[in-house]
Amino acid sequence: YGVQWRSWQGSDGKVIDQLSNVVKRLKTDPYDRRLIVTAWNPGELEQMALPPCHMFFQFFVSEGKLSLAMYQRSCDTFLGIPFNIASYALLLHMVAQVTGLQTGEFVHILGDTHVYLNHFEQVRTQLSREPYPLPILQLNPEIKDLYAFTMNDIELLNYHYHPAIKAKM
């Protein structure tokens, strides 16, 4: 996905950094309705190992809060969706910080949503567990450039978890 987000090949050969362009527009025109990044490139689908599952996302600003809506065409409920939620929520918080906006909502639109047959037992185990209180995401407030974040700048406070549940991809 990173290639499509950061190095989209235009028809004229020009490389387009969609993510950087959206961040710049959020700083100059936060109410623009075209704050979109797409990974769905029909001209390159045949060259991809797997067509993008999370196809595009759009930022939206209302009352100083930045929200993010992401459309996912194929949704592996057990293995994929939890990772996708965490990843896009983190991206939302990071982009909000570097654009000086408050964090709004992450909206996840699911297309073909499924549980694979060989994950049923793992899903039953997951559903039997009592959830822990949600952790608090803390980002290094000194970071003002999206590409300057490192793992050391991201912290989850009070993160409690159950043992891992293994499943085949």
Side-chain angles (χ1 to χ4, degrees), residues 9-25:
Q9 292 292 317
S11 60
D12 60 358
K14 181 181 171 188
V15 174
I16 302 164
D17 185 338
Q18 298 183 84
L19 187 56
S20 291
N21 290 345
V22 165
V23 170
K24 286 177 195 168
R25 284 202 316 273

Side-chain angles (χ1 to χ4, degrees), residues 36-107:
I36 295 171
V37 174
T38 182
W40 194 263
N41 185 343
E44 295 183 2
L45 291 176
E46 296 300 320
Q47 300 165 32
M48 299 177 187
L50 177 68
C53 292
H54 33 111
M55 296 172 44
F56 70 88
F57 56 95
Q58 180 175 11
F59 289 98
F60 176 80
V61 177
S62 178
E63 299 177 4
K65 291 186 178 181
L66 180 67
S67 292
L68 171 62
M70 186 267 283
Y71 179 81
Q72 187 168 344
R73 70 162 181 86
S74 182
C75 312
D76 175 352
T77 305
F78 180 69
L79 290 177
I81 288 177
F83 178 78
N84 300 137
I85 291 169
S87 308
Y88 279 88
L90 176 60
L91 178 64
L92 171 59
H93 280 266
M94 293 165 68
V95 172
Q97 178 169 307
V98 302
T99 57
L101 296 162
Q102 295 297 312
T103 304
E105 297 179 319
F106 168 59
V107 178

Side-chain angles (χ1 to χ4, degrees), residues 145-157:
D145 173 5
L146 183 61
Y147 308 110
F149 280 102
T150 68
M151 291 303 293
N152 293 330
D153 298 310
I154 304 165
E155 188 176 5
L156 283 178
L157 305 175

